């Protein structure tokens, strides 16, 4: 087991002061030099920050849209399909079916302006996001495989880390998600806008070959069923994909 670091890079949260954005992870680390671990107050990194009631309501609404769409998107989909089956020659039924098919299959691209928008900063405050980094990454010269277990029912920590890296440090790595998510309207749009990709090995390998780092949870969907409110379980012993990727690409995790 490796020795615990004596000093780390710390991001203290969106409410810690004026918002500061950096063009690279190196610039972020230079502007925020390492702090001795012993000087970080106990409980400071788990402190829940205060937000206004307006931010609280907006945060809940945004979460209802995404990832909450997984709970309600099926109702309009069922309505569209049912409407078409019972009225296949109706112009309205054909129109709505066309809209649905377009939402499922039309190409979607990474949307930097959306990632850097006020929504990002609001969710940082809403979840009191903070971060500790043991070392300064060098994405300009290395393509990393970033592993972030456990997966959880929905990996908010992973998503917030991806958004933080993109906006605050200029480190645009690609988060990997289950293939089925990219066939669900709204879910696929938001994930692609954030820079996420299919978790299939061929897609991740192509992304690494293009010089982009990739972030994933090694346990995948199987890990969802092993964790609970009482314990967190990490599945990695039989997960050889990330190890193989490291060996083949000689990247750092």
């Amino acid at each position: 087991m490796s020795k615990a670091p004596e000093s780390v890079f710390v991001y203290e949260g969106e409410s810690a002061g004026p918002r500061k954005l950096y063009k690279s992870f190196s610039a972020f680390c230079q502007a925020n030099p390492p702090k001795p671990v012993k000087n970080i107050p106990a409980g400071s990194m788990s402190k829940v920050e205060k937000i206004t009631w307006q931010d609280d309501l907006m945060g809940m609404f945004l979460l209802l849209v995404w990832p909450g769409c997984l709970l309600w998107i099926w109702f309009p989909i069922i309505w569209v399909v049912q409407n078409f089956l019972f009225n296949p020659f109706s112009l309205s039924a054909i129109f709505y079916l066309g809209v649905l098919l377009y939402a499922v299959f039309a190409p979607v691209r990474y949307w930097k302006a959306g990632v850097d928008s006020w929504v990002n900063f609001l969710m940082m405050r809403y979840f009191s996001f903070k971060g500790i980094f043991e070392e300064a990454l060098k994405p300009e010269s290395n393509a990393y495989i970033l592993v972030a277990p456990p997966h959880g029912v929905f990996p908010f920590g992973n998503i917030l880390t991806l958004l933080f890296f993109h906006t605050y440090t200029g480190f645009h790595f690609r988060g990997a998600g289950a293939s089925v998510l990219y066939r669900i309207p709204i879910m696929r749009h938001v994930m692609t806008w954030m820079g996420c990709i299919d978790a299939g090995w061929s897609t991740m390998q192509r992304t690494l070959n293009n010089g982009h780092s990739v972030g994933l949870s090694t346990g995948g969907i199987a890990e969802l069923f092993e964790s609970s409110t009482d314990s967190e379980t990490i599945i990695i012993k039989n997960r050889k994909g990330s190890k193989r990727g490291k060996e083949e690409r000689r990247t750092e995790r």
Side-chain angles (χ1 to χ4, degrees):
M1 182 177 294
S2 59
K3 182 180 179 181
E6 296 182 356
S7 61
V8 291
F9 297 94
V10 179
Y11 167 68
E12 298 180 359
E14 176 63 15
S15 63
R19 185 180 304 149
K20 295 181 180 180
L21 309 180
Y22 303 93
K23 294 183 179 181
S24 68
F25 196 85
S26 298
F28 168 80
C29 293
Q30 290 175 4
N32 300 274
K35 291 185 177 181
V37 173
K38 63 180 181 181
N39 291 349
I40 301 177
S44 64
M45 300 306 292
S46 59
K47 178 183 177 182
V48 177
E49 303 293 347
K50 294 181 179 179
I51 60 174
T52 65
W53 65 268
Q54 294 95 332
D55 283 351
D56 199 7
L57 286 177
M58 182 56 70
M60 288 189 288
F61 171 75
L62 291 172
L63 291 174
L64 179 62
V65 174
W66 188 91
C69 62
L70 287 175
L71 300 176
W72 55 262
I73 194 63
W74 311 108
F75 296 103
I77 289 177
I78 292 173
W79 179 84
V80 169
V81 174
Q82 178 179 283
N83 194 29
F84 179 77
L85 291 177
F86 285 96
N87 301 283
F89 300 107
S90 168
L91 291 179
S92 63
I94 294 174
F95 171 77
Y96 288 123
L97 181 63
V99 171
L100 174 60
L101 293 176
Y102 181 84
V104 172
F105 296 105
V108 186
R109 298 181 180 276
Y110 169 59
W111 184 23
K112 187 179 188 306
V115 172
D116 293 341
S117 71
W118 60 271
V119 174
N120 186 343
F121 304 111
L122 171 62
M123 299 316 291
M124 292 289 174
R125 294 196 302 272
Y126 187 86
F127 284 101
S128 298
F129 178 82
K130 300 175 177 64
I132 294 179
F133 311 94
E134 294 187 9
E135 60 180 274
L137 303 179
K138 298 178 180 179
E140 300 86 356
S141 56
N142 294 295
Y144 292 87
I145 296 179
L146 306 171
V147 179
H151 191 289
V153 175
F154 193 86
F156 286 109
N158 296 357
I159 292 297
L160 290 172
T161 301
L162 181 146
L163 293 175
F164 167 79
F165 274 31
H166 277 223
T167 300
Y168 285 82
T169 73
F171 182 2
H172 297 171
F173 73 88
R174 307 300 189 190
S179 303
V180 66
L181 298 177
Y182 297 94
R183 286 292 175 259
I184 303 175
I186 300 181
M187 175 60 70
R188 68 183 292 262
H189 291 81
V190 176
M191 289 185 64
T192 307
W193 287 340
M194 291 189 299
C196 294
I197 60 172
D198 190 314
W201 173 242
S202 60
T203 301
M204 292 194 291
Q205 188 176 44
R206 183 168 61 251
T207 302
L208 290 167
N209 288 338
N210 290 332
H212 298 292
S213 297
V214 173
L216 72 154
S217 291
T218 51
I221 294 177
E223 209 167 60
L224 300 180
F225 303 98
E226 299 296 334
S227 298
S228 67
T229 56
D230 299 321
S231 63
E232 292 185 334
T233 302
I234 298 175
I235 299 177
I236 196 171
K237 184 177 180 180
N238 297 322
R239 298 290 182 172
K240 300 178 180 179
S242 59
K243 295 179 181 179
R244 183 184 67 181
K246 180 180 178 182
E247 293 171 356
E248 292 181 0
R249 291 286 306 154
R250 294 182 181 179
T251 58
E252 298 183 32
R253 281 189 296 170

